[in-house]
Protein backbone atom coordinates (compact mmCIF):
# COMPACT_ATOMS: atom_id res chain seq x y z
CA UNK A 1 0.00 0.00 0.00
CA UNK A 2 1.37 3.39 -1.02
CA UNK A 3 -0.49 6.40 0.50
CA UNK A 4 1.35 8.78 -1.82
CA UNK A 5 -0.26 7.27 -4.91
CA UNK A 6 -3.95 7.57 -3.94
CA UNK A 7 -6.40 10.36 -3.20
CA UNK A 8 -9.57 10.65 -1.15
CA UNK A 9 -12.67 9.29 -2.94
CA UNK A 10 -14.99 11.51 -0.88
CA UNK A 11 -16.75 13.75 -3.41
CA UNK A 12 -17.21 16.50 -0.81
CA UNK A 13 -13.56 16.56 0.27
CA UNK A 14 -11.94 19.93 -0.64
CA UNK A 15 -8.66 18.22 -1.49
CA UNK A 16 -10.11 15.47 -3.70
CA UNK A 17 -7.79 14.54 -6.56
CA UNK A 18 -4.62 15.69 -4.79
CA UNK A 19 -1.87 13.09 -4.37
CA UNK A 20 1.54 13.11 -2.78
CA UNK A 21 0.65 15.74 -0.17
CA UNK A 22 1.33 13.52 2.86
CA UNK A 23 -2.26 13.84 4.08
CA UNK A 24 -3.23 10.19 3.43
CA UNK A 25 -1.94 7.54 5.84
CA UNK A 26 -2.40 3.79 6.19
CA UNK A 27 -5.30 3.18 8.56
CA UNK A 28 -5.09 -0.63 8.58
CA UNK A 29 -2.54 -2.71 6.73
CA UNK A 30 -4.46 -5.92 7.48
CA UNK A 31 -7.80 -4.59 6.22
CA UNK A 32 -6.14 -2.65 3.36
CA UNK A 33 -7.63 0.71 4.37
CA UNK A 34 -6.38 4.29 4.10
CA UNK A 35 -7.29 7.37 6.14
CA UNK A 36 -7.53 10.92 4.85
CA UNK A 37 -6.48 13.34 7.61
CA UNK A 38 -8.26 16.36 6.21
CA UNK A 39 -11.81 14.97 6.21
CA UNK A 40 -11.25 12.07 8.59
CA UNK A 41 -12.72 9.46 6.25
CA UNK A 42 -11.29 5.98 5.85
CA UNK A 43 -11.58 4.01 2.63
CA UNK A 44 -10.49 0.67 1.22
CA UNK A 45 -7.58 0.36 -1.17
CA UNK A 46 -9.97 -1.22 -3.69
CA UNK A 47 -12.46 1.69 -3.59
CA UNK A 48 -13.39 2.74 -7.11
CA UNK A 49 -12.21 -0.50 -8.70
CA UNK A 50 -13.94 -3.65 -9.89
CA UNK A 51 -12.53 -5.48 -6.84
CA UNK A 52 -14.32 -3.34 -4.24
CA UNK A 53 -15.80 -5.50 -1.43
CA UNK A 54 -14.68 -8.73 -3.06
CA UNK A 55 -13.16 -11.27 -0.68
CA UNK A 56 -11.50 -13.27 -3.44
CA UNK A 57 -7.85 -12.81 -4.38
CA UNK A 58 -7.39 -10.19 -7.07
CA UNK A 59 -5.17 -12.49 -9.16
CA UNK A 60 -7.93 -15.10 -9.41
CA UNK A 61 -10.55 -12.53 -10.45
CA UNK A 62 -8.23 -11.11 -13.12
CA UNK A 63 -7.45 -14.61 -14.42
CA UNK A 64 -11.12 -15.60 -14.65
CA UNK A 65 -12.18 -12.38 -16.38
CA UNK A 66 -9.28 -12.73 -18.83
CA UNK A 67 -10.32 -16.26 -19.70
CA UNK A 68 -13.90 -15.15 -20.34
CA UNK A 69 -12.66 -12.27 -22.50
CA UNK A 70 -10.74 -14.74 -24.66
CA UNK A 71 -13.80 -16.93 -25.15
CA UNK A 72 -13.37 -19.60 -22.50
CA UNK A 73 -16.81 -21.05 -21.61
CA UNK A 74 -18.03 -20.11 -18.15
CA UNK A 75 -18.96 -23.74 -17.47
CA UNK A 76 -15.31 -24.75 -18.02
CA UNK A 77 -14.12 -22.05 -15.60
CA UNK A 78 -16.64 -23.20 -13.00
CA UNK A 79 -15.40 -26.77 -13.32
CA UNK A 80 -11.69 -25.88 -13.30
CA UNK A 81 -11.71 -23.44 -10.37
CA UNK A 82 -14.62 -24.78 -8.33
CA UNK A 83 -16.53 -21.51 -8.54
CA UNK A 84 -20.23 -20.78 -8.72
CA UNK A 85 -21.51 -19.70 -12.14
CA UNK A 86 -23.25 -16.69 -10.61
CA UNK A 87 -19.96 -15.59 -9.05
CA UNK A 88 -18.16 -15.72 -12.39
CA UNK A 89 -20.90 -13.74 -14.11
CA UNK A 90 -20.82 -11.14 -11.33
CA UNK A 91 -17.06 -10.69 -11.79
CA UNK A 92 -17.49 -10.28 -15.53
CA UNK A 93 -20.25 -7.70 -15.07
CA UNK A 94 -18.14 -5.82 -12.53
CA UNK A 95 -15.18 -5.71 -14.91
CA UNK A 96 -17.36 -4.60 -17.81
CA UNK A 97 -19.05 -1.83 -15.83
CA UNK A 98 -15.72 -0.56 -14.54
CA UNK A 99 -14.17 -0.69 -18.00
CA UNK A 100 -17.08 1.36 -19.33
CA UNK A 101 -16.79 4.01 -16.62
CA UNK A 102 -13.06 4.59 -17.02
CA UNK A 103 -13.04 6.07 -20.58
CA UNK A 104 -16.32 7.99 -20.25
CA UNK A 105 -14.77 11.35 -19.17
CA UNK A 106 -12.06 11.01 -21.85
CA UNK A 107 -14.15 9.82 -24.82
CA UNK A 108 -17.76 10.87 -24.40
CA UNK A 109 -17.55 14.61 -24.76
CA UNK A 110 -18.16 16.78 -27.84
CA UNK A 111 -15.25 17.17 -30.25
CA UNK A 112 -14.67 17.89 -33.93
CA UNK A 113 -14.92 14.35 -35.29
CA UNK A 114 -14.43 15.11 -38.99
CA UNK A 115 -15.20 11.62 -40.26
CA UNK A 116 -16.81 8.67 -38.47
CA UNK A 117 -16.88 5.17 -40.02
CA UNK A 118 -19.48 2.88 -38.43
CA UNK A 119 -20.11 -0.80 -39.01
CA UNK A 120 -21.46 -4.00 -37.46
CA UNK A 121 -19.73 -7.27 -36.76
CA UNK A 122 -21.32 -10.64 -36.09
CA UNK A 123 -19.63 -12.24 -33.09
CA UNK A 124 -20.05 -15.98 -32.56
CA UNK A 125 -20.30 -17.24 -29.00
CA UNK A 126 -20.91 -20.65 -27.54
CA UNK A 127 -24.40 -21.61 -28.69
CA UNK A 128 -25.33 -18.15 -29.94
CA UNK A 129 -24.21 -15.11 -31.85
CA UNK A 130 -24.51 -11.39 -31.17
CA UNK A 131 -24.03 -8.21 -33.17
CA UNK A 132 -21.46 -5.59 -32.23
CA UNK A 133 -22.01 -2.17 -33.82
CA UNK A 134 -19.13 0.25 -33.31
CA UNK A 135 -17.83 3.59 -34.53
CA UNK A 136 -14.51 5.41 -34.46
CA UNK A 137 -13.14 8.84 -35.24
CA UNK A 138 -11.45 8.58 -38.61
CA UNK A 139 -8.46 10.93 -38.15
CA UNK A 140 -7.28 9.58 -34.77
CA UNK A 141 -8.80 6.05 -34.81
CA UNK A 142 -10.35 6.88 -31.43
CA UNK A 143 -12.99 4.23 -30.66
CA UNK A 144 -16.12 6.20 -29.84
CA UNK A 145 -18.05 3.23 -28.48
CA UNK A 146 -19.94 0.10 -29.33
CA UNK A 147 -23.33 -1.48 -28.78
CA UNK A 148 -24.11 -5.19 -28.46
CA UNK A 149 -27.43 -6.78 -29.34
CA UNK A 150 -28.80 -10.18 -30.26
CA UNK A 151 -30.36 -8.61 -33.35
CA UNK A 152 -29.10 -6.36 -36.12
CA UNK A 153 -32.11 -4.09 -35.85
CA UNK A 154 -33.11 -0.45 -35.50
CA UNK A 155 -32.54 -0.38 -31.74
CA UNK A 156 -28.92 -1.45 -32.17
CA UNK A 157 -28.27 1.21 -34.81
CA UNK A 158 -30.12 3.97 -32.91
CA UNK A 159 -28.00 3.35 -29.80
CA UNK A 160 -24.80 3.49 -31.82
CA UNK A 161 -25.84 6.72 -33.55
CA UNK A 162 -26.71 8.24 -30.16
CA UNK A 163 -23.15 7.45 -29.04
CA UNK A 164 -21.74 9.26 -32.08
CA UNK A 165 -24.04 12.23 -31.50
CA UNK A 166 -22.95 12.53 -27.86
CA UNK A 167 -19.34 12.95 -28.94
CA UNK A 168 -19.83 15.33 -31.88
CA UNK A 169 -19.53 19.09 -32.02
CA UNK A 170 -21.61 21.06 -34.50
CA UNK A 171 -18.90 20.95 -37.18
CA UNK A 172 -18.87 19.52 -40.72
CA UNK A 173 -19.12 15.75 -40.31
CA UNK A 174 -19.01 12.75 -42.62
CA UNK A 175 -20.53 9.50 -41.37
CA UNK A 176 -19.70 6.42 -43.45
CA UNK A 177 -21.96 3.39 -43.03
CA UNK A 178 -22.94 0.26 -44.89
CA UNK A 179 -26.11 -0.28 -46.90
CA UNK A 180 -28.37 -0.89 -43.89
CA UNK A 181 -31.30 1.51 -44.35
CA UNK A 182 -31.84 1.92 -40.60
CA UNK A 183 -28.69 4.02 -40.42
CA UNK A 184 -30.23 6.81 -42.48
CA UNK A 185 -33.33 7.06 -40.32
CA UNK A 186 -31.34 6.97 -37.08
CA UNK A 187 -28.75 9.55 -38.18
CA UNK A 188 -31.30 11.99 -39.53
CA UNK A 189 -33.35 11.69 -36.34
CA UNK A 190 -30.37 12.14 -33.98
CA UNK A 191 -28.47 14.90 -35.76
CA UNK A 192 -30.97 17.71 -35.41
CA UNK A 193 -30.62 21.05 -33.63
CA UNK A 194 -33.33 23.19 -31.98
CA UNK A 195 -34.42 26.42 -33.62
CA UNK A 196 -34.33 29.17 -30.95
CA UNK A 197 -37.58 31.17 -30.84
CA UNK A 198 -37.35 33.00 -27.53
CA UNK A 199 -40.73 31.63 -26.47
CA UNK A 200 -41.76 28.90 -24.08
CA UNK A 201 -42.39 25.37 -25.21
CA UNK A 202 -40.46 22.77 -27.11
CA UNK A 203 -38.65 24.32 -30.10
CA UNK A 204 -38.75 22.90 -33.59
CA UNK A 205 -35.79 20.89 -34.77
CA UNK A 206 -33.86 21.39 -37.98
CA UNK A 207 -31.34 19.10 -39.70
CA UNK A 208 -27.75 19.60 -38.68
CA UNK A 209 -25.77 21.82 -41.07
CA UNK A 210 -22.93 20.24 -43.07
CA UNK A 211 -23.84 16.67 -42.16
CA UNK A 212 -22.82 14.20 -44.85
CA UNK A 213 -23.87 10.55 -44.99
CA UNK A 214 -22.11 8.10 -47.26
CA UNK A 215 -22.86 4.46 -47.88
CA UNK A 216 -20.47 1.67 -48.83
CA UNK A 217 -22.50 -1.23 -50.22
CA UNK A 218 -20.83 -4.62 -50.68
CA UNK A 219 -23.03 -7.31 -52.26
CA UNK A 220 -21.74 -10.82 -51.57
CA UNK A 221 -21.89 -14.14 -53.34
CA UNK A 222 -21.40 -16.64 -50.55
CA UNK A 223 -18.54 -15.22 -48.51
CA UNK A 224 -17.01 -13.21 -51.36
CA UNK A 225 -17.59 -9.53 -52.04
CA UNK A 226 -18.53 -9.27 -55.72
CA UNK A 227 -18.39 -5.47 -55.97
CA UNK A 228 -18.21 -2.28 -53.92
CA UNK A 229 -20.60 0.61 -54.51
CA UNK A 230 -20.06 3.98 -52.83
CA UNK A 231 -22.76 6.61 -52.84
CA UNK A 232 -23.47 9.92 -51.18
CA UNK A 233 -26.89 9.89 -49.51
CA UNK A 234 -26.81 13.33 -47.89
CA UNK A 235 -24.50 16.33 -48.20
CA UNK A 236 -22.38 18.04 -50.80
CA UNK A 237 -19.79 16.11 -52.81
CA UNK A 238 -17.25 18.93 -52.50
CA UNK A 239 -17.57 18.89 -48.70
CA UNK A 240 -17.16 15.10 -48.62
CA UNK A 241 -13.96 15.33 -50.66
CA UNK A 242 -12.63 18.03 -48.34
CA UNK A 243 -13.42 16.01 -45.21
CA UNK A 244 -11.81 12.88 -46.63
CA UNK A 245 -8.70 14.87 -47.55
CA UNK A 246 -8.54 16.44 -44.07
CA UNK A 247 -9.16 13.25 -42.12
CA UNK A 248 -7.36 10.52 -44.08
CA UNK A 249 -5.26 12.34 -46.66
CA UNK A 250 -6.26 10.22 -49.64
CA UNK A 251 -8.50 7.31 -50.60
CA UNK A 252 -12.27 7.07 -50.77
CA UNK A 253 -15.28 6.47 -48.61
CA UNK A 254 -15.02 3.36 -46.42
CA UNK A 255 -16.33 1.85 -43.19
CA UNK A 256 -13.10 0.09 -42.16
Amino acid sequence: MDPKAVFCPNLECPARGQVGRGTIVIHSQKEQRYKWNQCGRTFAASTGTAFYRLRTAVDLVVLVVTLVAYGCPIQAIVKAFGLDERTVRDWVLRAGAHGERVPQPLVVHPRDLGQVPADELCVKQQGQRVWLASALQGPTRLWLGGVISARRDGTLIAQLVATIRAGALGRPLLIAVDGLSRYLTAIQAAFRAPIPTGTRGRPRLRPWNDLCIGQVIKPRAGRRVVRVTRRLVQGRAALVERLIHQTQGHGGLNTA
Side-chain angles (χ1 to χ4, degrees):
M1 296 176 66
D2 183 7
K4 296 181 180 180
V6 296
F7 61 84
C8 181
N10 181 15
L11 296 176
E12 299 178 357
C13 182
R16 174 177 167 81
Q18 299 178 7
V19 296
R21 300 294 182 89
T23 50
I24 290 185
V25 297
I26 296 177
H27 179 68
S28 173
Q29 185 77 42
K30 181 179 179 180
E31 297 179 356
Q32 296 284 295
R33 296 190 69 84
Y34 293 105
K35 182 177 180 180
W36 181 253
N37 291 333
Q38 190 157 350
C39 67
R41 295 282 187 92
T42 65
F43 57 93
S46 59
T47 299
T49 72
F51 311 107
Y52 182 58
R53 291 184 173 177
L54 286 183
R55 299 181 181 274
T56 311
V58 171
D59 292 343
L60 177 59
V61 178
V62 172
L63 176 59
V64 169
V65 172
T66 303
L67 289 172
V68 174
Y70 276 85
C72 182
I74 292 181
Q75 291 79 6
I77 295 174
V78 169
K79 183 68 174 179
F81 293 96
L83 299 170
D84 189 276
E85 183 175 341
R86 293 168 296 182
T87 299
V88 176
R89 293 189 183 278
D90 177 66
W91 293 352
V92 173
L93 291 175
R94 279 172 169 263
H98 182 73
E100 185 177 5
R101 286 196 303 269
V102 169
Q104 288 292 322
L106 301 175
V107 177
V108 186
H109 62 83
R111 68 184 75 215
D112 186 2
L113 296 177
Q115 180 184 175
V116 175
D119 206 351
E120 319 87 57
L121 176 67
C122 182
V123 182
K124 293 184 179 179
Q125 296 181 314
Q126 187 179 24
Q128 64 174 338
R129 66 176 188 175
V130 296
W131 287 93
L132 168 64
S134 58
L136 56 82
Q137 183 185 11
T140 62
R141 297 299 187 267
L142 173 66
W143 192 63
L144 300 176
V147 183
I148 296 176
S149 174
R151 297 181 179 181
R152 185 173 176 247
D153 55 11
T155 302
L156 173 71
I157 302 304
Q159 292 177 350
L160 178 64
V161 172
T163 301
I164 301 173
R165 178 65 179 86
L169 281 174
R171 304 286 190 273
L173 175 63
L174 169 62
I175 302 179
V177 297
D178 57 27
L180 193 62
S181 61
R182 295 182 179 91
Y183 270 115
L184 307 181
T185 304
I187 294 173
Q188 291 170 350
F191 285 84
R192 295 186 294 172
I195 302 175
T197 60
T199 59
R200 297 179 62 182
R202 183 178 179 181
R204 294 178 58 189
L205 301 177
R206 59 175 176 79
W208 199 352
N209 292 333
D210 295 330
L211 174 65
C212 303
I213 305 174
Q215 283 187 320
V216 181
I217 303 173
K218 301 177 181 179
R220 295 176 180 271
R223 295 186 177 183
R224 296 183 56 188
V225 177
V226 295
R227 66 178 182 276
V228 178
T229 303
R230 296 176 172 86
R231 67 183 184 185
L232 179 61
V233 180
Q234 178 176 316
R236 295 175 285 112
L239 178 58
V240 171
E241 292 181 5
R242 178 165 65 87
L243 289 172
I244 290 177
H245 177 74
Q246 291 175 350
T247 56
Q248 66 187 47
H250 58 84
L253 191 70
N254 68 84
T255 60

